[in-house]
């Protein structure tokens, strides 16, 4: 399945190649203040391939907080956060916000909440290496060259 998504105005767009096509997509509604306020409901397919395309890099804000180990890519024009990335051991990992999907039936989404409060940085990075998309191509140098 080729999943397409983007921010509202299309400045940050992505394609997630999820093979074989899923019958159900697990999602995590993070309970942190940032995700709650921005409607962040995330998914990843570790064996998948994610291509992120940015139309105007100067209109993308990268926001990090607490451990500063992830960057949330916020469109400065429409305010939507379609992807979050984490640079771990020189490799880019990512999750996508299912609320930005363009071609997925909402009935495929299996929603759950997730709380990562109290998680150590090492545990957090190990979890991301296991569970996030590890094959990420970014067609914008300003996103994939920054440390997370």
């Amino acid at each position: 399945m080729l999943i397409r998504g983007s921010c509202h105005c299309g400045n940050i767009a992505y394609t997630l190649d999820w093979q074989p096509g899923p019958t159900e997509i697990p999602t995590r509604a993070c309970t942190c203040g940032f995700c709650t306020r921005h409607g962040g409901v995330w998914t990843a397919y570790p064996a998948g391939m994610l291509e992120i395309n940015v139309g105007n890099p100067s209109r993308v804000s990268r926001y990090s907080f607490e451990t500063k180990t992830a960057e949330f890519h916020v469109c400065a024009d429409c305010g939507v956060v379609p992807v979050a990335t984490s640079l771990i051991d020189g490799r880019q990992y990512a999750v996508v916000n299912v609320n930005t999907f363009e071609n997925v039936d909402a009935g495929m989404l299996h929603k759950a909440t997730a709380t990562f409060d109290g998680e150590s940085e090492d545990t957090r990075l190990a979890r991301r290496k296991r569970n996030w998309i590890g094959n990420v191509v970014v067609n914008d140098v300003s996103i994939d060259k920054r440390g997370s």
Side-chain angles (χ1 to χ4, degrees):
M1 177 178 205
L2 212 54
I3 297 172
R4 289 182 305 280
S6 70
C7 63
H8 189 257
C9 70
N11 186 47
I12 306 170
Y14 62 85
T15 304
L16 173 57
D17 191 356
W18 192 311
Q19 301 297 333
T23 55
E24 180 178 85
I25 296 174
T27 70
R28 296 172 308 282
C30 179
T31 59
C32 80
F34 182 84
C35 291
T36 299
R37 287 174 178 86
H38 284 87
V41 179
W42 307 97
T43 196
Y45 180 57
M49 194 284 212
L50 178 67
E51 181 177 2
I52 303 169
N53 294 294
V54 178
N56 184 350
S58 70
R59 302 303 301 152
V60 177
S61 173
R62 288 169 297 282
Y63 182 70
S64 293
F65 57 98
E66 292 184 13
T67 63
K68 309 265 191 243
T69 58
E71 289 187 331
F72 294 83
H73 301 272
V74 184
C75 180
D77 290 329
C78 67
V80 174
V81 185
V83 299
T85 59
S86 184
L87 187 63
I88 306 168
D89 298 330
R91 184 174 184 173
Q92 195 71 259
Y93 292 83
V95 290
V96 294
N97 185 346
V98 301
N99 289 326
T100 63
F101 282 178
E102 297 173 354
N103 64 327
V104 175
D105 183 316
M108 290 182 69
L109 305 178
H110 180 268
K111 296 185 179 181
T113 59
T115 301
F116 303 111
D117 294 339
E119 185 177 55
S120 74
E121 186 172 320
D122 288 342
T123 300
R124 183 167 297 197
L125 295 176
R127 173 181 49 79
R128 289 179 185 158
K129 284 175 81 170
R130 270 190 326 273
N131 299 331
W132 286 26
I133 304 158
N135 188 357
V136 179
V137 174
V138 182
N139 294 316
D140 162 35
V141 176
S142 70
I143 289 178
D144 66 349
K145 295 296 182 189
R146 297 193 69 211
S148 297

